[in-house]
Amino acid sequence: MTISTIGRRIRLGLIGGGPGSIIGETHRIAARLDGHYDIVAGALSSDPERARQAALKLGIAHERAYPSWQQMIETEAAQPDRIDVVAVMTPNDSHHAICMMALDKGFHVICDKPLANDLAQAREIAARVEATNAEFCVTYCYSGFPMVRQARDMVRAGELGEIRQVHLQYVQSYLAAHDLPAGWRTEAGRAGRSLVLMDIGTHAFHLGAYVTGLDVTRVCADVGSAIPGRTIDDYVSALLRYENGARGSLWVTNAAAGSEHGLSFRIHGDKGGLEWHQEEPNRLIHRRHDGFEQIITRRLGAAMSEGAQRSTRIAIGHPEGYLEAFANLYTEFAERVAGRISKGERDDRRALFPGVRDGVKGLAFVDASVKSMAAGAWQDVERA
Amino acid sequence: MTISTIGRRIRLGLIGGGPGSIIGETHRIAARLDGHYDIVAGALSSDPERARQAALKLGIAHERAYPSWQQMIETEAAQPDRIDVVAVMTPNDSHHAICMMALDKGFHVICDKPLANDLAQAREIAARVEATNAEFCVTYCYSGFPMVRQARDMVRAGELGEIRQVHLQYVQSYLAAHDLPAGWRTEAGRAGRSLVLMDIGTHAFHLGAYVTGLDVTRVCADVGSAIPGRTIDDYVSALLRYENGARGSLWVTNAAAGSEHGLSFRIHGDKGGLEWHQEEPNRLIHRRHDGFEQIITRRLGAAMSEGAQRSTRIAIGHPEGYLEAFANLYTEFAERVAGRISKGERDDRRALFPGVRDGVKGLAFVDASVKSMAAGAWQDVERA
Amino acid sequence: MTISTIGRRIRLGLIGGGPGSIIGETHRIAARLDGHYDIVAGALSSDPERARQAALKLGIAHERAYPSWQQMIETEAAQPDRIDVVAVMTPNDSHHAICMMALDKGFHVICDKPLANDLAQAREIAARVEATNAEFCVTYCYSGFPMVRQARDMVRAGELGEIRQVHLQYVQSYLAAHDLPAGWRTEAGRAGRSLVLMDIGTHAFHLGAYVTGLDVTRVCADVGSAIPGRTIDDYVSALLRYENGARGSLWVTNAAAGSEHGLSFRIHGDKGGLEWHQEEPNRLIHRRHDGFEQIITRRLGAAMSEGAQRSTRIAIGHPEGYLEAFANLYTEFAERVAGRISKGERDDRRALFPGVRDGVKGLAFVDASVKSMAAGAWQDVERA
Amino acid sequence: MTISTIGRRIRLGLIGGGPGSIIGETHRIAARLDGHYDIVAGALSSDPERARQAALKLGIAHERAYPSWQQMIETEAAQPDRIDVVAVMTPNDSHHAICMMALDKGFHVICDKPLANDLAQAREIAARVEATNAEFCVTYCYSGFPMVRQARDMVRAGELGEIRQVHLQYVQSYLAAHDLPAGWRTEAGRAGRSLVLMDIGTHAFHLGAYVTGLDVTRVCADVGSAIPGRTIDDYVSALLRYENGARGSLWVTNAAAGSEHGLSFRIHGDKGGLEWHQEEPNRLIHRRHDGFEQIITRRLGAAMSEGAQRSTRIAIGHPEGYLEAFANLYTEFAERVAGRISKGERDDRRALFPGVRDGVKGLAFVDASVKSMAAGAWQDVERA
């Protein structure tokens, strides 16, 4: 990755991600890594005092350590050196309200996934993004890995031929014990209609679409709980049909005892297949139909794709990880926003970070899967 | 594996497996490996002259190099030193007739999978086995791997707790090119109602049942072709429900360009999970819910299960493969038949080789999957 | 890793790492990642104008964008808000002069490896560190990986028993082509007496010592070039004897065509062995003598060692990489320096980052290896 | 592997490999696998009664179940249907006497490694082989793996360019416990001058020579015991120089607690490198200097080398193992002997099985290594 010079540093305001939040520190590291952002404002908790203390601890100035996100958006909107970007890392059920207000006040927005708590909310946010002409990123963070971009570029370049099969997995264990862990995710309704689909199903679904460039048009899903006696969904296995006729499957669970992360894709086209596992992210397995299997990595003797090269920071052989992938989205968003600031217009170079429409698609998939389960039959997926 | 002494060597007659047959040489190596069989008769081809030439080449005596399987069964039945076992390695559509006649003439039978061309035929064979009190083995050969037996023993010993998820894959590429290869498999009707299900789907299905000891009761399947413009099925993805309520999935295809063999299972119970890949058969991944992941192999410092130990021939660290797994079924069948010969009664030790009822179950699964596809809905699997 | 609060942020001045330097950006990311440093001064190039431009690009203030490192140290020493730490990322042959002056002016120092260009220089730096009571870190960065610390903790806890064998590898390819790449490394003398030993041999050597807590006392080395016709060393293979009698070997080369990074260790004690590969850094293979092989990773059901837990930032299953390992050294150094600032005394908690004495040991090993090669015999390694 | 027709079956007489011998059953399976041998005579133990009982159990006729190897060779030499081949699988210290007598009586010989107990004995056997014009195979069994032959063929075809580095490992644990296991290997003198070198060192050494086609000319070895307080060698680490100037290393031990088998090679030439591990024998890692890493396996879309294709029996994706590799040597030897029988002359097609000269080289390497250790310096390896 060329060390970009993007004019001035982007001023960032944080919403959520306070004490005890894992995703909060992840967003902050992502913002810091390449030095493109200054974290200058924050409303880090729904508790006003905790919010202020957490902000001060991060070195945010006293007057911009806000007690609530509403006050942050309201006050910042009126500042001469107002923040450029609002980053949202709160529970799912607050995304809609925060995004709508931030957009209305003219901020660009980085929002954690899933975009909203249901499809209708997601559509409203997307409409507001269009109306306000704001920049918007949904942090489907796994799309930031260099080898995911390598796979995407290879598909686009036709190196796999027509895509015929797409198989997606995300296999975790954090709900495998009978007692559910505490937290907003397991409180009724806060995570949306189906915890497993909202929480990690949307990640796997997006990964398939991101790499292949294809949308799922129909789904037949088995959604429920692998662990008896609970009402929260912890398991989904689904049959997929993509817009070009390709077949696929998805297995996503957070109740497979003993598993770690387990996000992976395996796709096959006429000319071969690709397989990638998030737990070993720097290797992309390329099974060529005419040739030996090859392991795509950063190497001296063979070039990665342009998108992959733009997404890596270090010399060959040195592993990169999740934080760098997450930081890629932040850095690409910074470049986009900097372009808007300096030139007043959108850079026409294709963005690699996922946008609001990708967020809507995720909710449409959740919606169709839940309906399919209820009907015991295939279901169309609404177009975003 | 203790070098067993089973009394006298078993006399084996071969049906099918002549020139050009891969599975034929596999059966013969399996019969030779441990020295329990003498291959003394054969009808190796449907072409009388080729049949005789192939038998002679194997060192079979002139008078027992038969021109047809009917003649072999008929003639052998009348010999004083008649064969003990008929081994059937012909195309699917002839299994039923051969097995029925062999059973009627009092032979024990080893039959390649799938047991028959449809469920009705399979049920007839099973009834005849019961009526004749013969020994019968269906060569679901992957059940012969030591680590498959290790997994099965661990499940039975409760080391995984209650089984919650079963995921099965078998991903090949030999039908990935647009032009179908020649051979009986791709001739209309000869491989049964669905090539992919009959040919390799039954293997994956059996592996899941063999390891977990659980039957599939319902299935929702997406069966068809991944490659457009062909009528032969080369793809199935299915949602499964097991008898204890466990959920599962199955992805089986012979049209994933670039793949090799790709048979694997991944199962999860309350206490952890197991994963096995046929391409690296000597390792069983054990993901414990309370502990680190461990790799089960033959080792000095840790004991494999009794079933696994009985299934391995060589010192630790030396890899075993497909032929040894296949040979395990032959050797276990030899021990069983030898017991019948010497004692006139069935050894009550649990057999590890798959029997005729496992063969019926495979056809019941194929039947239900095809019906599910037609209905676009879940379908009950008939009990064997 | 607990997000530490270390009082005020540490003020950092950079020497070297200007345009085109890979290691420079690595140091800067490492400094930014956890938000403990402000990069406030820099002399990034030996060319005054390039030095200033590079500093400005990083957002360093005009008056602290220095044209030379001498001027930076001199000027900063007199500032009321003077930098706390000097970070040195220049070619090997300048480390000695820079470190000596920085120490003399009362700065703490982070210096890239190898510490100096020869053993005598290294000893002088170590003596000056003692005399000035400064904090000093040598960025043997691979010691920052969580699984390296896990291994170290396991050895210390006796989980491997007495260490009997230590095998180290570092296998790269960047000098495998016949034409040497340009740069200071391949200019006569600038990289010290033996390029391969100085450049990557010291990393592998340190890793062995860091994990086992044992020093090498004797070495018999084959040092030279794998590629004929060059005078620069690109290969070393060595027999090692550790202070407790353990035997070992080391294979380090940057001329193994087709390789990537290839840093690994494999150690064995009475109770089992550990193996780690930098290219898959989040897995530590533990071969227990009494038990199955286990794969140590961050998991829900099993605890990593205290040192490993302190060295990781994100949730299980998410891979971490080289930049996070490097950042661990920076963050630990920040904690140490902050302790000095706030309490005026050294925190007595054992530091995990490598210090100046580790740097001296590296040069002692290089020295002994070169002498062994000349003598064609075993050679004692001088004590640091 | 084409199912060869080699005229009549070869008559085999076994010496050694009786009750409790692992290698004995391995040889017998190897002889049975492809159906080219009839095991018709045997002297399976040094105890006359055990020898006879063991032979009878294998189905050997009463009159050819010999009480001693001397009697077997003597008696068989006078039979009209005398055995063609003597297979020797006794402790090292008896190889010389058995081979000399068998050769003198005109038999072809398959002898387990190491060829003899010291270099002088080995040279005598080699001279006798030449004098008698017999066929001779030393079962360096790992040379029978298809991927080892693939590597050898690739080196010969120049796909790696000039070989620059050869690194060999064989890392076991069976002597890792302080108490030595009972058996002839650990009795003084019976295993030759250095247990680890004789027992497994010769295997690793041969593998390097077999793949590269290069001989080691100089060695500097660290030979001894990793476990204190024993006189038996369980560890060797050595620096190697090959005849073309290539550098290398060898690490061989049977005292690395927790290890399994651990035989591997890694070689690098100008154009790239190859790596192979016996524990995953069906994959050959090919690191190309100009291209991505590729995994060489049997595949539909890419051809293996001629030597590899001749060495495999089954369809792609199905793993082969140690027994098949061992059987390859037996089958190739059967083809050679059959050629001698039918045509009276040696087939001029290059044999893939190791011969007597390879056996001599192994002992020459052991000899030089032991001398190097005593001298603490490099030592020339005598030419075979």
Side-chain angles (χ1 to χ4, degrees):
Chain A
M1 176 178 279
T2 321
I3 307 164
S4 59
T5 316
I6 60 165
R8 72 161 168 82
R9 289 156 72 103
I10 305 299
R11 291 188 291 266
L12 184 65
L14 308 175
I15 299 180
S21 162
I22 292 171
I23 201 66
E25 182 64 5
T26 301
H27 276 265
R28 292 190 293 270
I29 291 176
R32 284 194 295 251
L33 199 85
D34 290 318
H36 294 318
Y37 291 89
D38 287 319
I39 299 174
V40 296
L44 280 82
S45 170
S46 54
D47 175 277
E49 188 49 31
R50 289 179 55 145
R52 284 178 44 79
Q53 290 306 322
L56 294 175
K57 242 180 170 171
L58 289 175
I60 292 175
H62 198 269
E63 65 278 13
R64 296 175 101 169
Y66 296 98
S68 75
W69 60 264
Q70 291 90 341
Q71 198 166 331
M72 178 177 113
I73 295 176
E74 195 71 43
T75 309
E76 285 292 326
Q79 302 296 319
D81 62 342
R82 55 180 267 170
I83 54 176
D84 304 299
V85 173
V86 168
V88 183
M89 53 207 82
T90 57
N92 300 351
D93 57 352
S94 58
H95 289 187
H96 177 261
I98 297 171
C99 289
M100 295 299 273
M101 182 172 173
L103 291 166
D104 285 340
K105 294 294 184 182
F107 296 109
H108 304 296
V109 176
I110 294 171
C111 183
D112 213 281
K113 51 49 59 186
L115 174 57
N117 235 26
D118 61 35
L119 179 54
Q121 287 183 347
R123 289 198 187 284
E124 285 183 23
I125 297 172
R128 197 65 54 96
V129 169
E130 196 171 350
T132 59
N133 196 26
E135 299 298 333
F136 200 98
C137 173
V138 177
T139 55
Y140 287 124
C141 49
Y142 305 107
S143 61
F145 279 102
M147 284 304 154
V148 171
R149 275 109 186 257
Q150 171 78 27
R152 172 188 175 101
D153 287 345
M154 289 174 70
V155 170
R156 287 178 182 240
E159 293 186 44
L160 268 67
E162 183 72 18
I163 298 301
R164 300 297 185 199
Q165 301 190 35
V166 181
H167 300 278
L168 307 166
Q169 294 187 353
Y170 202 155
V171 184
Q172 298 184 327
S173 68
Y174 85 95
L175 298 181
H178 279 76
D179 295 335
L180 290 173
W184 63 265
R185 277 182 179 75
T186 51
E187 291 172 26
R190 297 206 59 191
R193 282 174 71 184
S194 171
L195 174 58
V196 71
L197 280 164
M198 295 288 279
D199 198 30
I200 59 174
T202 48
H203 271 304
F205 166 82
H206 177 259
L207 195 59
Y210 188 81
V211 169
T212 63
L214 297 170
D215 285 334
V216 170
T217 53
R218 300 185 71 218
V219 60
C220 180
D222 181 16
V223 188
S225 60
I227 311 300
R230 66 171 52 152
T231 53
I232 278 175
D233 291 341
D234 59 32
Y235 176 96
V236 58
S237 183
L239 313 174
L240 309 178
R241 194 74 84 253
Y242 282 82
E243 58 182 303
N244 72 336
R247 287 174 138 107
S249 72
L250 175 146
W251 169 37
V252 174
T253 181
N254 24 41
S259 299
E260 293 187 30
H261 191 265
L263 177 66
S264 71
F265 65 76
R266 181 166 174 177
I267 63 174
H268 285 276
D270 288 332
K271 299 181 185 172
L274 293 175
E275 181 172 344
W276 179 81
H277 294 262
Q278 197 259 164
E279 287 163 348
E280 295 188 19
N282 300 292
R283 295 163 64 89
L284 177 66
I285 301 168
H286 182 199
R287 296 187 174 92
R288 293 176 292 177
H289 194 58
D290 292 318
F292 291 112
E293 178 182 314
Q294 62 183 17
I295 310 297
I296 298 177
T297 55
R298 285 171 294 136
R299 288 177 71 77
L300 289 179
M304 291 193 304
S305 72
E306 194 264 339
Q309 289 186 42
R310 279 170 54 197
S311 310
T312 181
R313 286 167 185 77
I314 40 179
I316 69 155
H318 289 93
E320 296 178 289
Y322 170 76
L323 293 173
E324 291 90 330
F326 213 111
N328 282 339
L329 303 193
Y330 263 84
T331 290
E332 291 156 7
F333 197 73
E335 291 168 346
R336 173 68 74 91
V337 169
R340 292 290 297 274
I341 292 170
S342 62
K343 292 175 287 185
E345 58 185 29
R346 181 166 295 147
D347 185 347
D348 58 352
R349 192 177 57 174
R350 249 203 74 270
L352 289 174
F353 63 83
V356 73
R357 209 166 147 259
D358 299 301
V360 177
K361 287 179 184 178
L363 274 301
F365 177 71
V366 171
D367 187 71
S369 296
V370 171
K371 287 178 180 162
S372 165
M373 181 62 192
W378 287 80
Q379 183 75 26
D380 288 342
V381 180
E382 286 189 34
R383 302 203 67 101
Chain B
M1 175 177 280
T2 321
I3 306 163
S4 60
T5 318
I6 60 165
R8 72 161 170 80
R9 289 157 72 101
I10 306 299
R11 291 189 289 267
L12 184 65
L14 307 176
I15 299 180
S21 162
I22 292 170
I23 201 66
E25 182 63 6
T26 300
H27 277 264
R28 291 190 294 269
I29 290 176
R32 284 194 295 250
L33 200 85
D34 290 318
H36 294 319
Y37 291 89
D38 287 319
I39 300 174
V40 296
L44 281 83
S45 170
S46 54
D47 175 278
E49 188 49 30
R50 289 178 56 145
R52 285 178 43 79
Q53 289 306 322
L56 294 175
K57 242 179 170 171
L58 289 175
I60 292 174
H62 199 268
E63 65 277 14
R64 296 174 102 169
Y66 295 99
S68 75
W69 62 264
Q70 291 91 341
Q71 199 166 330
M72 178 178 112
I73 295 176
E74 195 71 43
T75 308
E76 285 293 325
Q79 302 296 318
D81 63 340
R82 54 180 268 170
I83 54 176
D84 304 298
V85 173
V86 168
V88 183
M89 53 207 83
T90 58
N92 301 351
D93 57 351
S94 58
H95 290 186
H96 178 261
I98 297 170
C99 290
M100 296 299 274
M101 182 173 174
L103 291 166
D104 286 341
K105 294 295 185 182
F107 296 109
H108 304 296
V109 176
I110 294 171
C111 183
D112 213 281
K113 49 52 55 186
L115 174 57
N117 236 25
D118 61 36
L119 179 54
Q121 288 184 347
R123 290 197 187 284
E124 286 184 23
I125 296 173
R128 198 64 55 95
V129 169
E130 195 170 350
T132 59
N133 195 25
E135 299 297 334
F136 199 98
C137 172
V138 178
T139 55
Y140 286 124
C141 50
Y142 305 107
S143 62
F145 278 102
M147 285 304 154
V148 171
R149 275 109 183 256
Q150 172 77 27
R152 171 189 175 99
D153 286 346
M154 289 175 70
V155 171
R156 286 176 182 239
E159 294 187 43
L160 268 67
E162 183 72 19
I163 299 301
R164 301 296 186 199
Q165 302 191 35
V166 182
H167 299 278
L168 307 166
Q169 294 188 352
Y170 202 156
V171 184
Q172 299 184 327
S173 67
Y174 85 94
L175 298 181
H178 278 76
D179 295 335
L180 290 173
W184 63 265
R185 276 182 179 77
T186 51
E187 291 173 27
R190 298 206 59 191
R193 281 174 71 185
S194 171
L195 174 58
V196 71
L197 280 163
M198 296 288 280
D199 198 29
I200 60 174
T202 48
H203 270 305
F205 166 81
H206 177 260
L207 195 59
Y210 188 81
V211 169
T212 63
L214 297 171
D215 284 334
V216 170
T217 53
R218 300 184 72 217
V219 60
C220 180
D222 182 17
V223 187
S225 60
I227 310 300
R230 65 171 54 153
T231 53
I232 278 175
D233 291 340
D234 58 31
Y235 176 97
V236 57
S237 184
L239 313 175
L240 308 177
R241 195 76 83 250
Y242 281 82
E243 55 180 304
N244 73 336
R247 289 174 138 108
S249 72
L250 175 147
W251 169 37
V252 174
T253 180
N254 24 41
S259 300
E260 291 186 31
H261 191 265
L263 177 65
S264 71
F265 64 76
R266 182 166 175 177
I267 63 174
H268 285 275
D270 287 333
K271 299 183 184 172
L274 293 174
E275 181 171 343
W276 179 81
H277 293 262
Q278 197 260 167
E279 286 163 347
E280 296 188 17
N282 300 291
R283 297 163 62 90
L284 177 65
I285 301 169
H286 181 199
R287 296 187 174 94
R288 295 177 290 177
H289 194 58
D290 292 317
F292 291 112
E293 178 181 314
Q294 63 183 16
I295 309 297
I296 297 178
T297 55
R298 286 171 293 137
R299 287 176 73 76
L300 289 180
M304 291 192 304
S305 72
E306 195 263 338
Q309 290 185 41
R310 279 169 54 196
S311 311
T312 181
R313 286 168 186 76
I314 39 178
I316 69 155
H318 290 94
E320 296 178 289
Y322 170 75
L323 293 172
E324 290 91 330
F326 214 111
N328 282 339
L329 303 193
Y330 264 82
T331 289
E332 290 156 6
F333 197 73
E335 290 168 347
R336 173 67 74 89
V337 169
R340 290 290 296 274
I341 292 171
S342 62
K343 291 175 287 184
E345 57 184 29
R346 182 165 295 148
D347 184 349
D348 59 351
R349 191 176 58 174
R350 249 205 71 269
L352 289 173
F353 62 83
V356 74
R357 207 164 149 262
D358 298 301
V360 177
K361 287 179 184 178
L363 274 302
F365 177 71
V366 172
D367 188 70
S369 296
V370 172
K371 286 178 181 161
S372 165
M373 182 62 194
W378 287 81
Q379 183 75 25
D380 288 343
V381 179
E382 286 189 34
R383 302 202 68 99
Chain C
M1 176 176 280
T2 321
I3 306 162
S4 60
T5 316
I6 59 165
R8 72 162 169 80
R9 289 157 72 102
I10 306 299
R11 290 188 290 266
L12 184 65
L14 308 175
I15 298 181
S21 163
I22 291 171
I23 201 67
E25 182 63 6
T26 300
H27 276 264
R28 293 190 292 270
I29 290 176
R32 284 194 294 251
L33 199 84
D34 291 317
H36 293 319
Y37 291 89
D38 287 319
I39 300 173
V40 297
L44 280 83
S45 171
S46 53
D47 176 277
E49 188 49 29
R50 288 178 56 142
R52 285 180 42 79
Q53 289 306 322
L56 294 175
K57 243 180 170 171
L58 288 175
I60 292 174
H62 200 268
E63 65 278 14
R64 296 175 99 168
Y66 296 99
S68 75
W69 61 265
Q70 291 91 342
Q71 198 166 331
M72 179 178 111
I73 294 175
E74 195 71 44
T75 308
E76 285 292 325
Q79 302 297 317
D81 62 340
R82 56 179 268 169
I83 54 176
D84 304 298
V85 172
V86 168
V88 183
M89 54 208 82
T90 58
N92 301 350
D93 57 352
S94 58
H95 290 187
H96 177 263
I98 297 170
C99 289
M100 295 299 273
M101 182 173 175
L103 290 166
D104 285 341
K105 294 294 185 182
F107 296 109
H108 304 296
V109 176
I110 295 170
C111 182
D112 213 282
K113 48 53 54 186
L115 174 57
N117 235 26
D118 61 36
L119 178 55
Q121 288 184 348
R123 290 197 188 283
E124 286 183 22
I125 297 173
R128 199 64 56 94
V129 169
E130 196 171 349
T132 58
N133 195 25
E135 299 297 334
F136 200 97
C137 173
V138 178
T139 54
Y140 287 123
C141 50
Y142 304 107
S143 61
F145 278 103
M147 284 303 152
V148 171
R149 276 109 183 256
Q150 171 77 27
R152 171 190 175 99
D153 287 345
M154 289 175 69
V155 171
R156 287 176 181 240
E159 295 187 43
L160 267 68
E162 182 72 20
I163 298 302
R164 301 295 184 200
Q165 301 191 35
V166 181
H167 299 278
L168 307 167
Q169 294 188 353
Y170 201 157
V171 184
Q172 297 184 328
S173 68
Y174 85 95
L175 298 182
H178 279 76
D179 296 335
L180 290 173
W184 63 266
R185 277 181 179 76
T186 51
E187 291 173 28
R190 298 207 58 191
R193 280 174 71 185
S194 172
L195 174 58
V196 71
L197 280 163
M198 295 289 278
D199 199 29
I200 60 174
T202 48
H203 271 304
F205 166 81
H206 177 259
L207 195 59
Y210 188 82
V211 169
T212 63
L214 297 171
D215 284 335
V216 171
T217 52
R218 300 185 71 219
V219 61
C220 179
D222 182 17
V223 188
S225 59
I227 310 301
R230 64 171 54 153
T231 54
I232 278 176
D233 292 340
D234 58 31
Y235 176 97
V236 58
S237 183
L239 313 175
L240 309 177
R241 193 76 83 251
Y242 282 83
E243 56 181 305
N244 72 336
R247 287 174 138 107
S249 71
L250 175 146
W251 168 36
V252 174
T253 181
N254 24 41
S259 299
E260 290 186 32
H261 191 266
L263 177 65
S264 72
F265 64 77
R266 182 167 173 176
I267 64 174
H268 285 276
D270 288 331
K271 300 182 184 171
L274 293 175
E275 181 172 345
W276 179 81
H277 293 262
Q278 197 257 168
E279 286 163 347
E280 295 187 20
N282 300 293
R283 297 163 64 89
L284 177 66
I285 300 169
H286 182 199
R287 296 187 174 94
R288 294 176 291 176
H289 194 57
D290 293 317
F292 291 112
E293 178 182 312
Q294 62 182 17
I295 309 298
I296 297 178
T297 55
R298 285 172 293 138
R299 288 177 72 76
L300 288 179
M304 290 192 306
S305 73
E306 194 264 338
Q309 288 185 41
R310 279 169 56 195
S311 311
T312 182
R313 287 168 184 77
I314 40 178
I316 69 156
H318 290 94
E320 296 179 288
Y322 170 75
L323 293 172
E324 290 90 332
F326 214 112
N328 283 338
L329 303 193
Y330 264 82
T331 289
E332 289 156 8
F333 197 73
E335 290 168 347
R336 173 68 74 91
V337 169
R340 292 291 296 275
I341 293 171
S342 62
K343 291 176 287 187
E345 59 184 30
R346 183 165 293 148
D347 184 349
D348 59 353
R349 192 176 56 173
R350 248 205 73 268
L352 290 173
F353 62 83
V356 73
R357 205 162 152 264
D358 300 300
V360 176
K361 288 178 184 178
L363 274 301
F365 177 71
V366 171
D367 188 71
S369 297
V370 171
K371 287 177 181 161
S372 165
M373 182 62 195
W378 287 81
Q379 182 75 26
D380 287 343
V381 179
E382 286 189 33
R383 302 203 66 99
Chain D
M1 176 179 278
T2 320
I3 307 163
S4 60
T5 315
I6 59 164
R8 72 161 170 81
R9 288 156 73 102
I10 306 298
R11 290 188 291 266
L12 184 65
L14 309 175
I15 299 181
S21 161
I22 291 171
I23 201 66
E25 182 64 5
T26 301
H27 277 264
R28 292 190 292 270
I29 290 176
R32 284 194 295 252
L33 199 85
D34 291 318
H36 294 318
Y37 291 88
D38 287 319
I39 300 175
V40 296
L44 279 82
S45 172
S46 53
D47 176 276
E49 188 50 30
R50 289 178 55 143
R52 284 179 43 78
Q53 290 305 323
L56 294 175
K57 243 179 169 171
L58 288 175
I60 292 175
H62 199 267
E63 63 278 14
R64 297 175 99 169
Y66 296 98
S68 74
W69 61 265
Q70 291 91 341
Q71 199 166 331
M72 178 177 112
I73 295 176
E74 195 71 44
T75 310
E76 285 292 325
Q79 302 297 318
D81 62 341
R82 54 180 268 167
I83 53 176
D84 304 299
V85 173
V86 168
V88 184
M89 54 207 82
T90 58
N92 300 351
D93 56 352
S94 58
H95 289 187
H96 177 261
I98 298 171
C99 289
M100 295 299 274
M101 181 171 174
L103 291 166
D104 285 341
K105 294 295 184 183
F107 295 110
H108 304 296
V109 176
I110 295 171
C111 183
D112 214 281
K113 49 51 59 188
L115 174 56
N117 235 26
D118 60 35
L119 179 55
Q121 287 183 348
R123 289 196 188 284
E124 285 183 24
I125 297 173
R128 198 65 54 95
V129 169
E130 196 169 350
T132 58
N133 196 26
E135 298 298 333
F136 200 97
C137 173
V138 177
T139 55
Y140 287 125
C141 50
Y142 305 107
S143 61
F145 279 103
M147 284 303 152
V148 170
R149 276 110 184 254
Q150 172 76 28
R152 172 189 175 100
D153 287 345
M154 289 175 70
V155 171
R156 288 177 181 239
E159 293 186 45
L160 267 67
E162 183 72 19
I163 298 301
R164 300 297 186 198
Q165 302 191 35
V166 181
H167 299 278
L168 307 167
Q169 295 187 352
Y170 202 156
V171 184
Q172 298 183 329
S173 68
Y174 85 94
L175 297 181
H178 279 76
D179 295 335
L180 290 173
W184 64 266
R185 277 181 179 76
T186 51
E187 292 173 27
R190 299 205 59 191
R193 282 174 70 185
S194 171
L195 174 58
V196 70
L197 280 163
M198 295 289 279
D199 199 30
I200 60 173
T202 48
H203 271 304
F205 167 81
H206 177 260
L207 195 59
Y210 188 82
V211 170
T212 64
L214 296 171
D215 284 334
V216 170
T217 52
R218 300 186 71 219
V219 61
C220 180
D222 181 17
V223 187
S225 60
I227 310 300
R230 64 171 54 153
T231 53
I232 278 175
D233 291 340
D234 59 31
Y235 176 96
V236 58
S237 184
L239 312 175
L240 310 177
R241 194 77 82 252
Y242 282 83
E243 57 182 303
N244 73 337
R247 288 174 139 108
S249 71
L250 175 145
W251 168 37
V252 174
T253 181
N254 25 41
S259 298
E260 292 187 31
H261 191 265
L263 177 66
S264 72
F265 64 76
R266 182 166 174 178
I267 63 175
H268 285 276
D270 287 333
K271 300 182 184 171
L274 293 175
E275 180 171 345
W276 179 81
H277 294 261
Q278 197 257 167
E279 287 164 346
E280 295 187 19
N282 300 293
R283 297 163 63 89
L284 177 65
I285 301 169
H286 182 200
R287 296 187 173 93
R288 294 176 290 177
H289 194 58
D290 293 318
F292 291 112
E293 178 182 313
Q294 61 183 19
I295 309 298
I296 298 178
T297 54
R298 285 172 294 137
R299 287 176 71 78
L300 289 179
M304 290 191 306
S305 72
E306 194 264 339
Q309 289 185 41
R310 280 170 54 196
S311 311
T312 182
R313 286 167 186 77
I314 40 179
I316 68 156
H318 291 93
E320 296 178 289
Y322 170 75
L323 294 172
E324 291 89 331
F326 214 111
N328 283 339
L329 303 193
Y330 264 82
T331 289
E332 290 156 7
F333 197 73
E335 290 168 348
R336 173 68 73 91
V337 169
R340 293 289 295 276
I341 292 169
S342 62
K343 292 176 287 184
E345 58 184 28
R346 182 165 294 148
D347 185 349
D348 58 351
R349 191 177 56 173
R350 250 205 71 269
L352 290 174
F353 63 84
V356 74
R357 205 162 152 264
D358 299 300
V360 177
K361 287 179 184 177
L363 274 301
F365 177 71
V366 171
D367 187 72
S369 296
V370 172
K371 287 177 180 162
S372 165
M373 182 62 194
W378 287 81
Q379 182 75 26
D380 287 344
V381 179
E382 286 189 34
R383 303 203 65 102

